[in-house]
Amino acid sequence: MFSRVDSKQPRKYRRPAPRKLFAWCSVWGVVGLLLTFVLFADNSGTLANEENIRLQSGGVCNNPALRNAFEENDIDVFLCKGDDGYEKASRIWNMLSQRDPLGVVRPRNEKEIGAILKTAMQHGFAVTVKGGGHSPAGWGVEEDAILIDMSRMKRIKVDPEEKVLWAEGGAIWDDVVPLMEKHSLAYVGGECPSVGIVGVALGGGTGWLSRDRGLISDNIISLNLALPNGSFVEVSSTKHPELLWALSGAGHSNFGVVTSIRFRLHDAQPEYFAGNLCFSVADGMELRKFGRVYAQSIGKITDNRLTIYLVLRRGSGLGYGVCYTLFFNGPKEEGPKAAEPLLTRFSEAFDETNTCTINFFKICPDQKGKATPDQVEKMKSLILSGRPFKKGVTFARFARAYGGPSAYMFWKSGVLNEISIEVMDALVDGILDPEMKSLVDGDLIQIQINHNGGAISEKPSDHSSFPFRKSGFVAAMHGILSPPPNSSSPDKARNLTLHDWATRTHQKLSPFFVGAYSNYNDREQRDWKSMYYGKNVEKLEKIKKSIEGHEVFRTFQRL
């Protein structure tokens, strides 16, 4: 029997006063990713040729026929710039990718989505779709299109006996956490709870359970899609399997709107061997040493239940920092053995040359300078035992540990086959960039390493349109701005400084990259088709060309 959480859906929309968002993702937030729209169609429907889609700014709000058509279909919320609620409805997570759409329409159900698509096509307007709104590049919002804001479609249901999650297209993973806790279940979903449930799956998607349970998209049971002509279709492994293949990695290329989705869930452990080991280091030499610890040990991790992320950072007033995040998807007591290669190498890296900056054990919280031999030995012993992670944490608590409601972030990324010493040194060189000696207080540069492989790589490379099953890592470069408290955005000089750092670092690392992760999308990504989708581009474009009416969707970097 399903348990459910229904979002409040009043018959008439009460327009809230507009507000500005300034919160930014935690320094250690392992940011996941993304917004929510997608693919499909059959060979029915009216063809809306791209040249017939009107793009003139203001054409929507000055079009009485379009407004009347929406009203006739009982669509009660259509917002234009300046209207109460427009700013909030069009806002996305990464404020540096924000754009103002021609207008915003906010459906309450599938019927309204079908009517919106059909009406937009009839009147010659393009549309985009925003689910969670977590896309780094802001794929869900474009200036030359009407935005379909899914935030009023957030109902979720869980069947604890069948271990199935059903969610509408506007739900985010944080909406699911209470039901996971209630029924002792776990999901393969975004690392950041504010990520859209649908959107992250459409890019393949990785989470804390992925090395053990596969990609997020591998756990899809079925999708319900609204087609460009306003009709609906169910997609699964037995119904339109070629579309499920396309949606499971290249789903952001807009063939329809995912109105709801069903996922497999998994039993949760009472508590997990999991957590963060975060600390400051004195200089670039120590940063490189602890980066190499990851490179020297990660290839020796053989238990697919263990996932280890790494973050290297540098910030004004913060100095250099390192953060290891571990999650073991099994009995808590088995975690230390699975993590032994890392814990052993990590403990060996501590010696008397280290400054006493790691104070999570309160060994030397007030001491400055070098650690004493006794302190070093105590630290080695605690790390070898797995102490930072043995206390245990529930799935619900861990699932909500990362991320924030919004960020100002320049974001670049690349897929890596391995993390060798050479690759790690290049990553550390990015943090040590001599042109970044002076950062404004609160601004930060960081590089995040996502640990993939395991069950992801066990399926054939052509199992879905996600092309990087055999590649073990994703590296993301984040230039994070901290806006002044009385300003809606940081100044242009700071923007340029961090943008150039992310671009420069990405270019230096490009010889090691074998592709780019589409959930970490980048509007400046060169050769984006092959970088996101590899050898699958031709097949994907063939599928898309068979679909009439797909031109109504206007997402950037669409196939």
Side-chain angles (χ1 to χ4, degrees):
M1 183 174 181
F2 276 106
S3 295
R4 64 187 295 164
V5 174
D6 292 341
S7 60
K8 294 181 180 179
Q9 297 191 24
R11 185 64 176 170
K12 292 296 180 181
Y13 171 60
R14 296 180 180 178
R15 293 177 174 174
R19 62 186 179 92
K20 297 178 180 177
L21 300 174
F22 299 116
W24 59 299
C25 240
S26 163
V27 169
W28 302 120
V30 184
V31 188
L33 35 136
L34 205 346
L35 69 137
T36 260
F37 34 114
V38 207
L39 300 144
F40 167 95
D42 55 10
N43 291 320
S44 62
T46 303
L47 181 63
N49 293 323
E50 184 131 0
E51 60 267 23
N52 293 331
I53 299 292
R54 283 187 297 227
L55 306 178
Q56 66 271 24
S57 179
V60 171
C61 295
N62 299 326
N63 191 310
L66 181 67
R67 283 183 172 275
N68 290 337
F70 282 148
E71 290 176 3
E72 289 172 2
N73 285 286
D74 200 28
I75 297 167
D76 67 332
V77 179
F78 183 78
L79 304 170
C80 292
K81 191 170 183 178
D83 290 346
D84 289 343
Y86 170 91
E87 184 175 343
K88 180 179 179 180
S90 60
R91 258 330 135 245
I92 57 175
W93 170 78
N94 188 2
M95 303 292 280
L96 290 180
S97 296
Q98 184 60 50
R99 287 164 177 79
D100 293 333
L102 294 182
V104 181
V105 61
R106 305 185 68 212
R108 295 165 295 191
N109 51 52
E110 287 186 342
K111 180 181 177 181
E112 291 187 5
I113 291 175
I116 290 166
L117 292 174
K118 187 174 181 180
T119 301
M121 286 188 65
Q122 290 174 343
H123 291 263
F125 286 99
V127 300
T128 61
V129 186
K130 186 189 79 164
H134 213 280
S135 160
W139 267 359
V141 182
E142 298 293 340
E143 294 177 342
D144 58 2
I146 298 171
L147 171 64
I148 301 176
D149 171 28
M150 300 284 285
S151 63
R152 294 208 292 173
M153 293 181 62
K154 300 185 70 170
R155 291 184 302 157
I156 59 174
K157 295 185 289 185
V158 168
D159 185 333
E161 296 178 1
E162 296 296 326
K163 300 176 187 175
V164 172
L165 164 69
W166 174 89
E168 287 189 309
I172 62 175
W173 286 108
D174 193 55
D175 298 330
V176 182
V177 172
L179 291 178
M180 298 297 98
E181 188 168 32
K182 178 180 178 180
H183 299 297
S184 298
L185 293 171
Y187 56 70
V188 184
E191 299 99 341
C192 189
S194 56
V195 168
I197 290 175
V198 172
V200 68
L202 301 182
T206 60
W208 299 116
L209 275 66
S210 286
R211 281 178 41 80
D212 188 30
R213 300 293 183 173
L215 293 170
I216 299 173
S217 60
D218 292 339
N219 288 269
I220 294 174
I221 298 172
S222 64
L223 299 158
N224 202 40
L225 300 175
L227 309 184
N229 66 356
S231 62
F232 297 89
V233 66
E234 182 181 0
V235 175
S236 68
S237 60
T238 58
K239 298 177 180 178
H240 310 292
E242 75 285 0
L243 291 169
L244 181 63
W245 176 89
L247 290 166
S248 300
H252 304 113
S253 202
N254 297 143
F255 296 88
V257 180
V258 175
T259 60
S260 63
I261 191 167
R262 294 171 72 233
F263 283 103
R264 283 183 292 275
L265 297 173
H266 307 276
D267 290 324
Q269 298 291 326
E271 287 187 328
Y272 289 86
F273 178 83
N276 289 325
L277 182 62
C278 301
F279 55 96
S280 299
V281 295
D283 53 34
M285 185 177 298
E286 288 195 4
L287 185 75
R288 192 178 303 280
K289 178 172 70 173
F290 286 106
R292 286 184 173 187
V293 165
Y294 187 87
Q296 292 165 339
S297 58
I298 197 67
K300 299 177 182 179
I301 301 298
T302 59
D303 195 323
N304 290 349
R305 296 175 295 174
L306 180 64
T307 299
I308 307 173
Y309 279 26
L310 173 70
V311 174
L312 307 171
R313 64 108 169 113
R314 176 182 179 183
S316 178
L318 298 172
Y320 299 106
V322 180
C323 189
Y324 293 87
T325 301
L326 274 66
F327 184 87
F328 180 73
N329 188 39
K332 184 175 63 173
E333 60 273 13
E334 297 178 18
K337 182 172 179 58
E340 186 175 358
L342 174 69
L343 298 177
T344 300
R345 185 67 194 91
F346 194 88
S347 66
E348 292 171 352
F350 277 93
D351 56 38
E352 293 177 38
T353 66
N354 290 113
T355 55
C356 198
T357 55
I358 303 180
N359 59 15
F360 43 79
F361 297 128
K362 301 189 182 301
I363 294 173
C364 46
D366 300 320
Q367 176 182 326
K368 294 182 180 179
K370 305 301 180 183
T372 67
D374 287 345
Q375 289 166 345
V376 169
E377 289 306 311
K378 189 173 183 180
M379 185 68 72
K380 287 177 178 288
S381 176
L382 290 170
I383 290 173
L384 275 172
S385 71
R387 169 74 177 276
F389 316 103
K390 285 175 71 174
K391 184 178 180 181
V393 62
T394 64
F395 179 82
R397 183 177 177 186
F398 194 83
R400 283 178 160 169
Y402 303 96
S406 63
Y408 290 85
M409 186 180 295
F410 291 105
W411 191 313
K412 304 283 182 181
S413 73
V415 176
L416 297 160
N417 282 335
E418 62 177 358
I419 301 291
S420 63
I421 294 294
E422 183 183 11
V423 171
M424 180 55 68
D425 282 349
L427 292 166
V428 173
D429 287 343
I431 299 295
L432 302 181
D433 189 333
E435 296 187 41
M436 301 300 290
K437 286 184 177 179
S438 58
L439 285 169
V440 174
D441 284 348
D443 288 356
L444 180 79
I445 57 175
Q446 71 176 33
I447 295 178
Q448 172 185 307
I449 308 299
N450 294 10
H451 185 198
N452 296 339
I456 298 171
S457 63
E458 291 173 356
K459 292 184 180 296
S461 297
D462 62 354
H463 179 77
S464 68
S465 59
F466 180 83
F468 305 117
R469 289 186 177 273
K470 306 304 180 183
S471 300
F473 306 90
V474 173
M477 290 113 262
H478 303 147
I480 304 172
L481 292 128
S482 177
N486 298 318
S487 172
S488 61
S489 64
D491 63 74
K492 292 182 179 180
R494 290 164 61 204
N495 285 2
L496 185 62
T497 297
L498 290 180
H499 169 271
D500 288 353
W501 169 80
T503 302
R504 187 167 58 247
T505 303
H506 185 266
Q507 289 174 344
K508 290 179 179 179
L509 288 164
S510 60
F512 303 109
F513 292 147
V514 296
Y517 182 33
S518 66
N519 276 347
Y520 291 174
N521 41 71
D522 175 11
R523 287 174 181 261
E524 297 175 342
Q525 176 66 58
R526 296 179 180 177
D527 302 321
W528 61 268
K529 288 185 181 181
S530 61
M531 291 296 283
Y532 290 155
Y533 308 125
K535 297 179 180 179
N536 294 327
V537 172
E538 184 177 353
K539 182 177 178 180
L540 287 165
E541 289 187 330
K542 184 178 180 180
I543 293 172
K544 185 158 187 177
K545 286 178 181 178
S546 70
I547 298 165
E548 293 185 279
H550 64 79
E551 298 90 348
V552 73
F553 296 104
R554 190 47 54 84
T555 300
F556 192 75
Q557 293 179 335
R558 61 196 179 277
L559 289 169

